[in-house]
Amino acid sequence: MELIIKKFKELTVEELYEIIKARVDIFVVEQNYPYRELDDKDKNSYHMFFKDEDSIAAYLRVVDRGVSFDEVSIGRVLTVKRGCGLGGKILAEGIKLAKEKLGAETIRIEAQTYAKGFYEKAGFEQSSAEFTLDGIPHMQMLLHT
């Protein structure tokens, strides 16, 4: 399994297609909620994914400060191949990239409420009350690096 890290303009058409396909499959189709998956934040992000011989197995984006929040943020965290620890691995790599490439001292995320425990394992702490975003319960969480 290979870890790939690229800025938006460095992605090949095939890589971008696979990223969009995985994000739509999980966040729109699987969660049964139509919303605007593509946003201009992708253009100001690092895209990080584990790729196996077939396709993307896990993905996230690291968004520069000032785009979503005052802080660096991580979003669109997903795993296609579940139950093998890839979610934790890709999140750890995303945190590392945020610190090393973007100098993040704090990372802010908007996490789906059901995933709170997953992010807490990585050191994130809830920093807001629960709210509804795109019809799904979320909360903001912070990690101080």
Side-chain angles (χ1 to χ4, degrees):
M1 186 129 350
E2 179 183 8
L3 177 64
I4 298 171
I5 302 168
K6 293 185 176 183
K7 295 286 283 184
F8 182 78
K9 289 184 178 184
E10 298 170 330
L11 293 168
T12 67
V13 172
E14 184 69 25
E15 289 167 337
L16 182 58
Y17 178 85
E18 289 298 321
I19 288 167
I20 293 168
K21 181 179 177 216
R23 287 175 20 181
V24 168
D25 283 352
I26 290 173
F27 297 123
V28 178
V29 177
E30 183 178 302
Q31 294 180 0
N32 195 29
Y33 192 78
Y35 76 105
R36 182 172 236 157
E37 167 47 34
L38 296 177
D39 58 26
D40 289 325
K41 295 175 186 177
D42 284 319
K43 295 176 183 178
N44 298 293
S45 301
Y46 281 94
H47 299 268
M48 172 180 287
F49 51 97
F50 281 115
K51 184 172 182 161
D52 62 16
E53 61 281 348
D54 298 322
S55 61
I56 290 175
Y59 167 86
L60 62 73
R61 69 179 180 188
V62 180
V63 185
D64 206 353
R65 60 181 53 78
V67 178
S68 295
F69 305 106
D70 290 338
E71 305 88 356
V72 171
S73 63
I74 292 176
R76 302 296 200 263
V77 180
L78 65 84
T79 56
V80 175
K81 299 198 175 190
R82 296 180 177 150
C84 55
L86 282 178
K89 288 178 185 176
I90 195 83
L91 182 58
E93 292 291 342
I95 292 167
K96 180 179 171 185
L97 182 140
K99 292 190 306 191
E100 292 177 0
K101 298 264 188 198
L102 300 175
E105 294 179 5
T106 303
I107 301 170
R108 182 178 300 272
I109 62 172
E110 286 182 332
Q112 292 185 14
T113 301
Y114 83 89
K116 178 182 178 186
F118 169 74
Y119 290 107
E120 286 176 334
K121 287 179 187 174
F124 285 89
E125 297 177 351
Q126 185 173 344
S127 62
S128 78
E130 187 176 296
F131 58 92
T132 301
L133 180 65
D134 298 322
I136 299 172
H138 281 73
M139 65 182 67
Q140 288 193 4
M141 300 184 82
L142 287 173
L143 173 68
H144 301 284
T145 62

